[in-house]
Amino acid sequence: MSVSSCTRIVLAARPHGAVRASDFRIETAPLAEPAEGEVQLQVRYLSLDPYMRGRMDERKSYAPPVALGSTMEGETAAQVIASRHPDYAVGDIVLARTGWCSHANVAARGLRKLDPALAPITTGLGVLGMPGFTAYSGLRFIGQPRTGETVVVAAASGPVGSLVGQWAQIQGARAVGIAGGADKCAHVRDELGFDAVVDHRAPDFPERLAQACPDGVDVYFENVGGAVWQAVLPLLNKYARVPVCGLVAQYDGATADGPNLLPATMREILSRSLTLRGFINFEFAEHFPDFLREVGEAVASGRVRYREDIVDGLENAPRAFMGMLKGANFGKLLVRVS
Amino acid sequence: MSVSSCTRIVLAARPHGAVRASDFRIETAPLAEPAEGEVQLQVRYLSLDPYMRGRMDERKSYAPPVALGSTMEGETAAQVIASRHPDYAVGDIVLARTGWCSHANVAARGLRKLDPALAPITTGLGVLGMPGFTAYSGLRFIGQPRTGETVVVAAASGPVGSLVGQWAQIQGARAVGIAGGADKCAHVRDELGFDAVVDHRAPDFPERLAQACPDGVDVYFENVGGAVWQAVLPLLNKYARVPVCGLVAQYDGATADGPNLLPATMREILSRSLTLRGFINFEFAEHFPDFLREVGEAVASGRVRYREDIVDGLENAPRAFMGMLKGANFGKLLVRVS
């Protein structure tokens, strides 16, 4: 049953420093009938992810920015409500890049169907989706932890960090998580089963991290940058690997204030033969089926655990997103749209 | 004919910032007869290399510092003048880590003989020695230039940079050198045959470098750091590789002054999926025989060229070394000791 209008959230202004509510605008727009080869989707869940902060800036990163007045980009789990493609039927659940909206027409090509019988459809946006694949591919192709090595990851209760630690353990490594606050730390230690966890809000965070890594750090999965990087750098062992998949601590107003930390960082890269490697999971897309099979089995068996933080209502997406950039979410952040 | 004393240059003081003549002291010391398993060597050539600057500081790098009052470390090409090891005869030429001295007793184990009939013995300290192997291994195992890619290297008239560019061309890549001053630039372009060369002293150096790299930079062989890195960073292509083997621009008094360049560097690492990888050639030692065969043939055939800058007299080593840190040498810097 197709609809003739949708609700969407557009980029109203480019942020200066921290994102504000006024950088977004919610609006209603007409929606045409789907064209040949398209499906019309009703969005069930919208995924909110740190990379979206980058798309709000003018500066080109690995992808072009969202245009002012355009719908905020994002991936969703959505249901087909009208179809003009033979492979898709009304009722099918698919992953799509509809952006922050209630309904959309999209080309059927490139959609991926989700089977609700195999796993909750929300996992397609988290542990069995792009965040999980970021963890998996960064470890498999860059971090390459070996038995007995120490792997450190921040945002350890989040969708990338939680799989980094658990998957590192499955490879035989020791997992040390960093998280903000007692609740998240308890979850990382007790529910996810990391070998150790350190609260980055502790005044003596660098010392605690050092204590949690008595044999140094062999893999640091970089998703935050900033002060956490400064605490990890002195602990990195010779030949340590640093997959860099995010820098959330510096998305909201990274500045060139303070001492110049680059010369000392370069010196450590040289003197300890470190590897820093930026990556976006798309690079390893051909291995997505491996990921889905391997991690899917581990999720189904309960060996890999995950947590979701679900906010109700599209209109609450901007607030939830702003909170996430400050670490307020607890688990994979999703918006239940309908 | 063994000797009973030697001349040596010791570390008299640890430098504060730029190295000064008073940081060194030349002295005469008694020399015992070689012990069983040792040879006594008369040093012919001492190699002066940027890494020695790091050994003068208290701070441990990949190797421990030179102790105050101890002989400055260094590799030499030396002649056996007395032997207590069956594999070495008087007159043999060997590579040894005797340090900055005229004579020394060293264990014969671990020495490498040089055949003066194959190549001038000085090449064992340069293009066919550690500097050459640094270029070769950094390209082969980290930079991995492909046909048509652009490889940039600074200090391009020096012993590492000159082979980086020539070896990259042999792999089918385009070589762009950076050097200081018209004479060095002419040498890099006309004698070494790089595809382009840029003078880092030019006021519009960043613009000239960009013009010399119209397709961006795929491999930047980092041996200097500082302002050159800042000029190269915006030119790096997606998936560019940066082997980091030295940071000579920041050895003499790297400071944390100026804006903090780390956040922007990390952002580029992430958004362009860059690889930065520190290394010391020892890591790849098992491939030294490959290097010696491959580059040895290319040197013998004249396909790879090199230039040496030879200073006479051990007493002039400190001055020559200080000059090298400022880029005053022109080619591989050696001291003819006897």
Side-chain angles (χ1 to χ4, degrees):
Chain A
M1 202 110 58
S2 65
V3 296
S4 61
S5 75
C6 72
T7 307
R8 63 185 189 191
I9 294 176
V10 303
L11 181 65
R14 301 207 181 276
H16 296 284
V19 178
R20 296 184 301 177
S22 57
D23 298 331
F24 303 95
R25 185 173 67 238
I26 191 162
E27 59 185 34
T28 302
L31 191 64
E33 291 288 316
E36 184 61 33
E38 286 187 340
V39 292
Q40 188 168 85
L41 299 175
Q42 176 174 23
V43 173
R44 300 276 302 276
Y45 293 94
L46 163 67
S47 177
L48 293 179
D49 299 278
Y51 76 84
M52 295 166 168
R53 176 64 185 84
R55 306 287 168 88
M56 299 176 76
D57 286 334
E58 186 76 55
R59 181 179 47 228
K60 187 174 179 317
S61 180
Y62 50 85
V66 173
L68 281 175
S70 290
T71 305
M72 282 290 297
E73 284 184 28
E75 197 177 32
T76 56
Q79 191 150 21
V80 176
I81 56 174
S83 174
R84 294 193 64 191
H85 190 286
D87 294 348
Y88 291 86
V90 170
D92 282 350
I93 304 285
V94 298
L95 282 178
R97 293 198 61 83
T98 63
W100 300 22
C101 66
S102 66
H103 300 80
N105 297 329
V106 301
R109 260 177 74 122
L111 296 178
R112 183 158 71 83
K113 283 191 202 176
L114 293 177
D115 182 351
L118 286 182
I121 64 170
T122 53
T123 59
L125 296 168
V127 65
L128 297 179
M130 283 306 142
F133 187 50
T134 296
Y136 173 91
S137 57
L139 279 183
R140 176 168 166 189
F141 298 106
I142 304 172
Q144 302 181 357
R146 289 181 285 262
T147 304
E149 287 193 329
T150 297
V151 175
V152 171
V153 65
S157 64
V160 177
S162 61
L163 186 59
V164 166
Q166 293 178 91
W167 204 248
Q169 288 179 317
I170 287 172
Q171 315 298 310
R174 196 169 163 271
V176 176
I178 298 168
D183 287 353
K184 289 183 183 175
C185 286
H187 172 73
V188 169
R189 189 179 50 235
D190 303 335
E191 299 297 319
L192 303 180
F194 279 43
D195 296 282
V197 63
V198 183
D199 189 341
H200 66 77
R201 298 179 188 167
D204 56 346
F205 163 64
E207 292 73 24
R208 289 190 190 203
L209 183 65
Q211 285 160 16
C213 303
D215 301 321
V217 176
D218 302 292
V219 177
Y220 171 55
F221 202 102
E222 173 65 290
N223 52 8
V224 296
V228 173
W229 167 248
Q230 294 304 320
V232 171
L233 182 57
L235 306 178
L236 291 174
N237 289 329
K238 192 161 186 189
Y239 303 126
R241 288 83 65 196
V242 182
V244 179
C245 78
L247 296 164
V248 67
Q250 65 179 58
Y251 290 167
D252 249 12
T255 71
D257 289 352
N260 182 9
L261 299 169
L262 183 60
T265 299
M266 293 297 286
R267 198 160 51 222
E268 299 303 338
I269 290 172
L270 173 60
S271 69
R272 280 185 268 150
S273 297
L274 307 179
T275 300
L276 271 68
R277 169 68 152 84
F279 76 106
I280 309 300
N281 60 59
F282 311 142
E283 180 182 348
F284 306 109
E286 63 183 300
H287 303 280
F288 193 82
D290 291 353
F291 154 74
L292 216 49
R293 190 183 61 250
E294 296 174 28
V295 180
E297 286 172 6
V299 168
S301 73
R303 195 170 181 198
V304 159
R305 308 183 75 168
Y306 63 95
R307 182 184 168 111
E308 294 170 341
D309 185 342
I310 300 182
V311 172
D312 266 305
L314 183 62
E315 67 280 10
N316 293 315
R319 192 170 53 199
F321 179 70
M322 290 183 283
M324 181 187 66
L325 292 174
K326 295 180 167 58
N329 61 307
F330 187 176
K332 173 68 193 104
L333 184 59
L334 299 163
V335 178
R336 187 182 286 115
V337 177
S338 67
Chain B
M1 200 108 60
S2 65
V3 296
S4 59
S5 75
C6 70
T7 305
R8 64 188 188 189
I9 293 176
V10 302
L11 181 64
R14 299 207 181 278
H16 296 284
V19 179
R20 296 184 301 178
S22 56
D23 297 332
F24 303 95
R25 186 172 66 238
I26 190 162
E27 58 185 36
T28 302
L31 191 65
E33 290 288 317
E36 185 60 33
E38 287 187 341
V39 293
Q40 188 168 85
L41 298 175
Q42 177 174 23
V43 172
R44 298 275 300 278
Y45 293 94
L46 163 66
S47 176
L48 294 179
D49 298 279
Y51 76 85
M52 295 166 169
R53 176 64 185 83
R55 306 288 168 89
M56 298 177 78
D57 286 335
E58 187 75 58
R59 181 179 50 227
K60 188 179 180 308
S61 179
Y62 50 84
V66 173
L68 281 176
S70 289
T71 305
M72 283 290 295
E73 282 183 28
E75 197 176 33
T76 56
Q79 190 150 23
V80 176
I81 56 173
S83 174
R84 294 194 63 194
H85 190 286
D87 294 348
Y88 291 86
V90 169
D92 282 350
I93 304 286
V94 296
L95 282 179
R97 292 199 63 83
T98 64
W100 299 20
C101 65
S102 66
H103 300 80
N105 297 329
V106 300
R109 259 178 75 120
L111 295 178
R112 183 159 72 83
K113 281 191 203 178
L114 292 177
D115 182 350
L118 286 183
I121 65 170
T122 51
T123 60
L125 296 168
V127 66
L128 297 179
M130 284 304 141
F133 187 51
T134 296
Y136 173 91
S137 58
L139 279 183
R140 176 169 166 188
F141 298 106
I142 304 173
Q144 301 180 2
R146 289 181 284 264
T147 304
E149 287 192 330
T150 298
V151 175
V152 170
V153 65
S157 63
V160 176
S162 61
L163 186 59
V164 166
Q166 293 179 90
W167 204 249
Q169 289 179 316
I170 287 172
Q171 315 299 308
R174 191 167 166 273
V176 176
I178 298 168
D183 288 352
K184 288 182 183 177
C185 286
H187 172 74
V188 169
R189 189 180 51 238
D190 302 335
E191 299 296 320
L192 302 179
F194 279 42
D195 296 281
V197 63
V198 183
D199 189 339
H200 66 79
R201 297 179 189 166
D204 56 348
F205 162 65
E207 291 75 23
R208 288 190 189 202
L209 184 63
Q211 285 162 13
C213 303
D215 300 320
V217 176
D218 302 291
V219 177
Y220 171 54
F221 202 102
E222 172 64 293
N223 54 7
V224 297
V228 173
W229 168 248
Q230 293 306 320
V232 170
L233 183 58
L235 306 179
L236 292 174
N237 288 331
K238 193 162 187 189
Y239 304 126
R241 290 82 65 195
V242 181
V244 180
C245 81
L247 296 164
V248 68
Q250 66 179 59
Y251 290 167
D252 250 14
T255 72
D257 288 352
N260 183 9
L261 300 170
L262 182 60
T265 300
M266 292 298 284
R267 197 159 51 221
E268 298 303 338
I269 290 172
L270 173 60
S271 68
R272 278 184 271 151
S273 297
L274 306 179
T275 299
L276 272 70
R277 171 66 152 85
F279 77 105
I280 310 297
N281 60 59
F282 310 142
E283 179 181 348
F284 307 108
E286 63 183 298
H287 302 281
F288 193 83
D290 292 352
F291 155 74
L292 216 48
R293 189 184 62 250
E294 295 174 28
V295 180
E297 286 171 7
V299 168
S301 73
R303 195 167 180 201
V304 161
R305 309 183 74 166
Y306 63 95
R307 180 183 168 112
E308 295 169 340
D309 184 343
I310 300 181
V311 171
D312 266 302
L314 182 62
E315 68 280 9
N316 293 318
R319 192 170 52 200
F321 178 69
M322 291 184 284
M324 179 186 66
L325 292 175
K326 296 181 167 59
N329 61 305
F330 187 176
K332 173 68 192 100
L333 183 59
L334 299 163
V335 178
R336 186 182 286 117
V337 178
S338 65

